[in-house]
């Protein structure tokens, strides 16, 4: 309801105005109940990353691209995985499951498809039906129609796609800069701590960044979803509704 | 009651294709469990130590005793009996009970029925079977065993105890045949030496004094133990075997031709209220090759799943997709593990979390092959790649998951401390590390670094050189030095000027990137 209509209502006869008001209230209620349109459902996200992502976290049905850090991509996966969703890693033979487990990804619900035989789109589209979040390397070339088709499928299933490398219609592009390592000297010590600056550039051109340490990405407790029926997992994912 | 003496030996002789007069001993836990007549005549006995048995009989063949083999070899015998006489109770391999009433009426007398049985068995190559007929299974068993003592003109493989005379027949047997050693000792102290003496006691008194076990033994001794024979139900035939004539050379042809058989396989299982969770697929090719593999399923097989497994087995066997090396002449599917359908039934509101996942992943496996869809476990190891165990979806891991987890808890000296790198290269990438003067950095024979690393060339971009900011190493790893497959290498950690951290290997003067902390 635009402010203009409210003004008009005041000029109308009171009964009619009351009726309109209740109608508008009803409309609002309907909108709220239909709140699961795209972007209003948020997947569990590590707070440190949720702060910089547009919308306050990973959105179901959206695509994100991560430019230069597998660790960051794993951290995005950790939230949904930790709260009981199935995850899939497609086309990344170098993925280290040990690091994934340390970041809180449940290996029992992680599906790896390292080699694709050139069937990236078919396999990814099939996996969208199965799992709630997919991590993949973006193919070198993808036509915009294929990307749009995949996006529609993601939206329909409420799954999220995270690509390593550029993706044409991503909600945000995340990148890591200013890596600072602790514990390593010259000829002595070993890598222990890491501080990194994560920048998220939204598709509206606004970018936000945050400095955080590796331990902040290692959240271990997540709200557990009751996964009695995974076919509805995507609908149940985090019932919280972000303001319209 | 049908008795085949020395059945473990007979079974082993048949299985190993040995002549009937070979000296064979079956060994269980270091002691002779059974021995062939030839060996027995040389002085080999049951419960003799293997070494002593070998000393007594120089050309003794020693084999491990395998109870499953006994059962397996006896199975055709039981089915042969079932063909001519209904209702067989398998007591143990080599001994089975058959109700005599029906066959004796049909064949015209107990002796006649027993002779028919013996002639059937001799066609199977079993010439030394014995048959005892009596009122009770216990008496009949001992009648069959008693045929051994008959000699000369009386020698016969059949002993028929007339009806009502079982107790009398048993009365001269010693107490040991009851196989109740404690009871036998006790009774002997009471002055009771034979089954006849024992059965003369009043049943109530025996029960009061010796309890249920005593009462059962007393009934056996009196020839009154349970008369009924619990008839074996022949197991349903669940295997499916299809022969192709002429041989099929294309996978799609084969899949099409096998389709109905796969349906039949699943239907038969479900008719018996079963589902198959592990199936064995055996493929015979025209040139005589046999491909045999077990396939597991995360839930249970339906017809499509079985077709997929047949297809994957052909593709995975090094045979290319469109033409096999030689045509397939026979496909056989054998259920290896079956479970009750009730345990796998769909619930009213779906079957829990994984149904959709299973179906979806099966579809992807259909596209890419069985080994393309993987789940992961973390195992123990020094090299990062060894710590990752990938298991095709639906397979159980080759090793026990508990063992894998236990191996992870072991100390593994030389494993990497600190956070795990996010990228572990599937195959190590070639890199260069050079010192100030442009020479490659190396480690000498004493494990000391020749010069400090100054510049680093990341994998994939040989032209770009980066300054080394921090580094640590060498950390020597000497894996399996006792083995030719062992490796000796040095590990380094390195942070370059862009802030990227790397885990490097130096092996045979060559630098590799093992992992990247990206």
């Amino acid at each position: 309801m635009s402010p203009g209509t409210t003004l008009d209502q005041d000029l109308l006869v009171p009964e009619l105005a009351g009726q309109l008001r209740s109608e508008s209230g009803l409309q609002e209620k309907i909108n709220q109940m239909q709140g699961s349109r795209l972007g209003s459902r948020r997947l569990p996200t590590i707070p440190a990353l949720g702060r910089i992502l547009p919308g306050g976290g990973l959105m179901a049905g959206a695509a994100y691209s991560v430019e230069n850090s597998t660790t960051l991509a794993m951290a995005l996966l950790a939230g949904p995985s930790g709260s009981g969703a199935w995850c899939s890693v497609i086309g990344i033979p170098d993925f280290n499951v040990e690091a994934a487990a340390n970041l809180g990804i449940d290996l029992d619900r992680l599906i790896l498809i390292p080699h694709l035989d050139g069937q990236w789109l078919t396999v990814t589209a099939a996996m969208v039906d199965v799992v709630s979040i997919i991590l993949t390397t973006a193919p070198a070339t993808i036509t915009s129609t294929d990307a749009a088709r995949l996006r529609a499928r993601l939206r329909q299933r409420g799954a999220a796609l995270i690509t390593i490398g550029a993706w044409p219609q991503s909600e945000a592009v995340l990148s890591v800069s200013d890596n600072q390592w602790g514990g390593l000297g010259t000829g002595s010590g070993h890598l222990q701590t890491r501080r990194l600056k994560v920048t998220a550039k939204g598709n509206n051109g606004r970018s936000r960044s945050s400095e955080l340490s590796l331990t902040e990405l290692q959240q271990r407790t997540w709200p557990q979803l009751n996964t009695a029926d995974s076919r509805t997992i995507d609908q149940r994912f985090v019932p919280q509704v972000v303001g319209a | 009651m049908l008795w085949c003496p020395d059945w473990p030996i007979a079974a082993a002789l048949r299985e190993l294709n040995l002549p009937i007069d070979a000296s064979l001993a079956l060994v269980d836990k270091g002691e002779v469990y059974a021995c062939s007549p030839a060996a027995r005549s040389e002085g080999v006995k049951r419960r003799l130590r293997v070494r002593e048995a070998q000393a007594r009989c120089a050309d003794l063949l020693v084999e491990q005793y395998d109870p499953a083999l006994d059962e397996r070899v006896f199975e055709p015998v039981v089915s042969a009996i079932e063909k001519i006489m209904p209702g067989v109770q398998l007591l143990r391999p080599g001994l089975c009970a058959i109700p005599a009433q029906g066959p004796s009426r049909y064949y015209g007398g107990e002796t006649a029925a027993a002779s028919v049985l013996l002639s059937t068995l001799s066609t199977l190559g079993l010439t030394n079977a014995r048959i005892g007929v009596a009122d009770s299974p216990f008496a009949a068993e001992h009648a069959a065993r008693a045929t051994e003592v008959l000699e000369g003109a009386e020698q016969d493989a059949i002993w028929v105890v007339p009806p009502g005379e079982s107790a009398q027949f048993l009365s001269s047997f010693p107490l040991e045949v009851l196989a109740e050693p404690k009871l036998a000792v006790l009774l002997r102290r009471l002055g009771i030496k034979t089954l006849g003496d024992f059965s003369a006691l009043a049943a109530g008194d025996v029960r009061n004094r010796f309890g249920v076990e005593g009462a059962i033994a007393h009934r056996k001794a009196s020839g009154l133990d349970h008369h009924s024979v619990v008839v074996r139900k022949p197991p349903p035939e669940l295997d499916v075997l299809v022969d192709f004539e002429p041989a099929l050379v294309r996978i799609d042809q084969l899949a099409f031709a096998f389709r109905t058989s796969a349906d039949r396989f699943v239907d038969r299982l479900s008719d018996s209220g079963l589902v198959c969770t592990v199936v064995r697929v055996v493929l015979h090719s025209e040139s005589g090759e046999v491909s045999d593999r077990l396939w597991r399923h995360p839930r249970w097989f339906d017809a499509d799943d079985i077709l997929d497994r047949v297809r994957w087995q052909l593709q995975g066997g090094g045979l290319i997709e469109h033409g096999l090396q030689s045509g397939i002449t026979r496909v056989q599917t054998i259920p290896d593990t079956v479970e009750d359908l009730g345990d796998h039934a769909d619930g009213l509101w779906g079957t829990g979390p994984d149904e959709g996942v299973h179906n979806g992943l099966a579809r992807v496996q259909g596209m890419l092959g069985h080994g393309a869809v993987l789940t992961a476990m973390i195992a123990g190891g020094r090299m990062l790649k060894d710590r990752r165990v990938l298991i095709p979806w639906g397979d159980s891991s080759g090793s026990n998951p508990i063992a894998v987890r236990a191996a992870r808890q072991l100390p593994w000296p030389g494993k990497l401390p600190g956070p795990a790198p996010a990228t572990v290269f599937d195959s190590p990438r070639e890199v260069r590390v050079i010192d100030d003067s442009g020479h490659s950095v190396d480690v000498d024979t004493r494990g000391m670094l020749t010069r400090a690393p100054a510049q680093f060339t990341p994998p994939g971009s040989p032209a770009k050189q980066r300054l080394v900011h921090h580094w640590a190493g060498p950390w020597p790893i000497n894996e399996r030095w006792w083995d030719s497959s062992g490796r000796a290498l040095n590990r380094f950690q390195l942070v370059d000027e862009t802030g990227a951290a790397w885990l490097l290997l130096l092996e045979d003067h060559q630098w590799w990137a093992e992992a990247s902390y990206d």
Side-chain angles (χ1 to χ4, degrees):
Chain A
M1 284 282 155
S2 70
T5 36
T6 22
L7 262 179
D8 289 344
Q9 276 171 21
D10 292 338
L11 301 174
L12 294 170
V13 276
E15 307 95 275
L16 201 55
Q19 196 186 341
L20 262 177
R21 236 180 241 122
S22 68
E23 261 180 26
S24 73
L26 191 63
Q27 189 64 45
E28 215 163 282
K29 229 171 196 174
I30 289 171
N31 277 343
Q32 212 164 22
M33 285 170 83
Q34 285 176 335
S36 60
R37 68 179 175 82
L38 172 70
S40 61
R41 274 180 299 119
R42 205 160 56 184
L43 303 177
T45 318
I46 289 173
L49 297 175
R51 280 200 293 275
I52 58 169
L53 283 170
L58 282 179
M59 293 296 174
Y64 296 85
S65 55
V66 177
E67 270 185 347
N68 51 5
S69 172
T70 316
T71 308
L72 183 58
M74 284 178 182
L76 287 173
L77 237 61
S81 178
S83 44
W86 286 76
C87 302
S88 179
V89 176
I90 299 175
I92 311 178
D94 297 339
F95 189 84
N96 185 16
V97 290
E98 197 176 2
N102 289 346
L103 282 172
I105 296 178
D106 187 347
L107 296 188
D108 292 340
R109 289 191 301 271
L110 178 72
I111 308 296
L112 301 169
I113 307 180
H115 303 287
L116 291 168
D117 287 345
Q119 304 188 45
W120 184 86
L121 190 70
T122 340
V123 172
T124 308
M127 289 305 287
V128 169
D129 290 349
V130 180
V131 301
S132 304
I133 187 158
I134 291 175
L135 171 63
T136 178
T137 43
T141 52
I142 181 158
T143 62
S144 55
T145 40
D146 283 347
R149 218 175 282 162
L150 190 62
R151 189 184 166 82
R153 190 125 180 194
L154 284 171
R155 202 181 308 183
Q156 188 193 355
R157 298 282 170 186
L161 179 76
I162 298 167
T163 60
I164 293 181
W167 179 254
Q169 296 166 337
S170 59
E171 201 80 2
V173 179
L174 289 100
S175 60
V176 166
S177 54
D178 294 348
N179 270 310
Q180 283 171 1
W181 290 94
L184 197 65
T186 45
S188 61
H190 67 83
L191 292 177
Q192 286 172 358
T193 59
R194 180 184 188 182
R195 287 198 69 78
L196 63 167
K197 186 179 170 190
V198 181
T199 311
K201 193 172 174 225
N203 54 5
N204 53 5
R206 206 186 291 166
S207 74
R208 279 192 276 187
S209 61
S210 138
E211 286 220 21
L212 42 98
S213 70
L214 195 60
T215 46
E216 281 176 72
L217 296 179
Q218 293 172 335
Q219 181 174 342
R220 278 321 187 99
T221 50
W222 293 97
Q224 282 302 307
L225 298 173
N226 176 15
T227 55
D229 187 349
S230 81
R231 280 171 302 177
T232 57
I233 252 187
D234 35 8
Q235 276 105 51
R236 287 200 212 175
F237 241 123
V238 183
Q240 52 184 303
V241 174
V242 183
Chain B
M1 185 70 69
L2 173 81
W3 176 53
C4 301
D6 283 338
W7 180 254
I9 288 292
L13 287 174
R14 280 169 159 249
E15 185 72 12
L16 301 169
N17 285 325
L18 291 172
I20 203 139
D21 54 349
S23 309
L24 178 77
L26 295 177
V27 178
D28 190 29
K29 293 179 189 149
E31 288 183 342
V32 173
Y33 179 81
C35 58
S36 68
R40 197 174 294 137
S41 65
E42 298 271 348
V44 180
K45 286 192 297 190
R46 211 182 153 177
R47 318 199 72 157
L48 210 58
R49 298 265 293 280
V50 175
R51 192 149 293 193
E52 206 180 337
Q54 282 168 330
R56 288 187 187 182
C57 176
D59 57 349
L60 186 71
L61 281 167
V62 176
E63 286 291 330
Q64 274 299 325
Y65 171 61
D66 175 12
L69 176 81
D70 291 359
E71 302 250 2
R72 204 163 63 229
V73 180
F74 201 61
E75 173 61 31
V77 178
V78 176
S79 355
I81 299 170
E82 272 170 348
K83 272 186 195 148
I84 54 166
M85 293 176 185
V88 177
Q89 182 186 16
L90 182 65
L91 296 172
R92 61 171 181 268
L95 186 68
C96 55
I98 305 154
Q101 208 177 20
S104 70
R105 202 181 305 145
Y106 181 78
Y107 291 105
E110 283 159 355
T111 319
S115 324
V116 170
L117 197 54
L118 281 179
S119 62
T120 311
L121 292 181
S122 63
T123 59
L124 287 172
L126 274 177
T127 48
N128 61 347
R130 311 294 171 91
I131 292 173
V133 183
D135 291 344
S136 74
F138 180 75
E141 183 186 339
H142 286 284
R145 288 182 192 275
T147 52
E148 284 206 321
V149 298
L150 297 176
E151 274 179 5
E154 286 189 318
Q155 194 169 13
D156 195 0
I158 304 165
W159 186 311
V160 180
V161 179
E165 291 181 20
S166 289
Q168 197 191 339
F169 165 75
L170 286 171
S171 60
S172 58
F173 280 84
L175 292 169
E176 275 70 29
V177 297
L178 286 171
E180 295 272 359
K182 271 189 188 167
L183 186 68
V185 169
L186 201 56
L187 288 173
R188 186 154 308 118
R189 286 190 190 153
L190 294 172
I192 293 168
K193 294 202 176 71
T194 62
L195 292 187
D197 300 343
F198 185 39
S199 62
L201 301 174
D205 295 346
V206 171
R207 192 183 172 90
N208 288 342
R209 175 65 183 78
F210 299 106
V212 179
E213 283 174 16
I216 291 171
H218 185 258
R219 286 186 70 80
K220 275 186 181 174
S222 322
L224 293 172
D225 56 323
H226 48 91
H227 285 262
S228 58
V229 170
V230 183
V231 170
R232 182 183 94 129
K233 207 174 167 189
E237 184 66 39
L238 296 173
D239 302 5
V240 165
L241 189 147
V242 185
D243 284 309
F244 296 113
E245 181 66 39
L248 295 182
V249 291
R250 287 174 56 94
I251 287 178
D252 47 357
Q253 284 178 335
L254 184 77
F256 188 73
F258 194 65
R259 168 98 238 172
T260 47
S261 309
D263 285 335
R264 198 170 71 229
F265 177 78
V266 174
D267 287 349
R268 265 191 215 169
L269 279 169
S270 56
D271 285 349
S272 352
L274 298 170
V275 289
C276 178
T277 53
V278 182
V279 73
R280 177 184 292 279
V281 177
V282 187
L283 304 166
H284 295 257
S285 80
E286 208 170 13
S287 53
E289 295 161 285
V290 179
S291 150
D292 183 338
R293 190 183 156 164
L294 275 185
W295 293 95
R296 282 165 212 287
H297 196 281
R299 294 171 67 228
W300 42 272
F301 285 99
D302 62 19
D304 287 334
D305 293 333
I306 288 182
L307 268 186
D308 275 345
R309 299 312 186 274
V310 171
R311 202 178 286 143
W312 292 339
Q313 188 163 333
L314 285 169
Q315 284 165 359
L319 308 168
I320 44 169
E321 199 167 338
H322 297 298
L324 310 174
Q325 277 161 356
S326 62
I328 296 293
T329 52
R330 172 181 287 187
V331 178
Q332 190 176 12
T333 50
I334 305 158
D336 195 87
T337 305
V338 288
E339 287 172 24
D340 194 53
L341 185 62
D343 298 340
H344 286 266
D346 285 355
L348 195 52
W349 284 278
T351 49
D354 300 339
E355 192 188 14
V357 176
H358 287 310
N359 293 340
L361 293 180
R363 204 165 70 237
V364 177
Q365 277 185 322
M367 278 188 255
L368 295 175
H370 177 65
V373 180
L374 306 163
T375 54
M377 271 171 77
I378 301 173
R382 291 181 187 85
M383 307 310 290
L384 292 170
K385 225 184 134 185
D386 298 343
R387 296 177 67 83
R388 171 174 68 180
V389 178
L390 298 176
I391 306 147
W393 175 257
D395 272 10
S396 67
S397 53
S399 45
N400 181 357
I402 297 162
V404 171
R405 257 173 227 133
R408 196 165 74 211
Q409 302 301 327
L410 297 177
W412 293 108
K415 79 170 180 189
L416 206 64
T423 298
V424 173
F425 296 114
D426 210 25
S427 52
R429 309 280 177 87
E430 205 172 327
V431 294
R432 287 182 63 212
V433 178
I434 53 178
D435 61 13
D436 294 330
S437 55
H439 293 101
S440 183
V441 178
D442 206 349
V443 170
D444 63 20
T445 47
R446 296 200 160 194
M448 304 298 284
L449 213 57
T450 51
R451 297 286 298 274
Q455 298 211 359
F456 163 70
T457 317
S461 50
K464 280 188 205 156
Q465 290 205 339
R466 296 179 185 172
L467 288 174
V468 173
H469 275 193
H470 302 286
W471 59 277
W475 301 330
I477 292 179
N478 205 348
E479 270 206 319
R480 293 194 293 277
W481 45 264
W482 59 89
D483 192 356
S484 61
S485 67
R487 314 166 69 183
L489 42 84
N490 287 285
R491 253 182 179 159
F492 290 81
Q493 270 180 341
L494 184 148
V495 175
D496 66 22
E497 60 180 317
T498 62
W502 302 85
L503 181 68
L504 305 181
L505 301 176
L506 176 62
E507 189 176 15
D508 284 341
H509 316 293
Q510 172 63 51
W511 288 85
W512 304 93
E514 185 189 1
S516 155
Y517 294 82
D518 61 348

